[in-house]
Amino acid sequence: MRAPLLSGNGPLARVPPLAVFVVVVGVFALGIIVGGPTGALLLGLLAVGVAVLLAATWPVLAPGQRVGRVLVLVVLVAVAISVLLAK
């Protein structure tokens, strides 16, 4: 069973989900591959974007969805810190 996506009419409403997925995976992979401060910066920017989207959608998310998305954010920040400290 798939939960419906949050409806909206903001600037991201017209962006295809596949394009967003490809960009996020690309930025994440680039951050891991580049490593060091530059890679950590890319991952940090990705984390900021996730945090902004989480804050914007927080009121309409179910408690389980909130926990899952906060967990993703925490893991992303942990990866960014580990990339920064690895080199």
Side-chain angles (χ1 to χ4, degrees):
M1 294 176 30
R2 289 185 58 190
L5 294 174
L6 301 174
S7 62
N9 56 2
L12 295 178
R14 292 178 292 281
V15 178
L18 182 60
V20 174
F21 178 77
V22 168
V23 168
V24 168
V25 168
V27 171
F28 183 82
L30 188 61
I32 297 295
I33 292 168
V34 169
T38 305
L41 178 66
L42 288 171
L43 294 171
L45 290 173
L46 193 58
V48 168
V50 169
V52 167
L53 289 174
L54 179 62
T57 58
W58 189 266
V60 295
L61 294 175
Q65 292 172 321
R66 290 177 180 172
V67 169
R69 292 176 188 190
V70 168
L71 181 63
V72 167
L73 182 58
V74 168
V75 168
L76 183 55
V77 169
V79 170
I81 291 170
S82 70
V83 165
L84 180 62
L85 299 176
K87 289 192 176 187

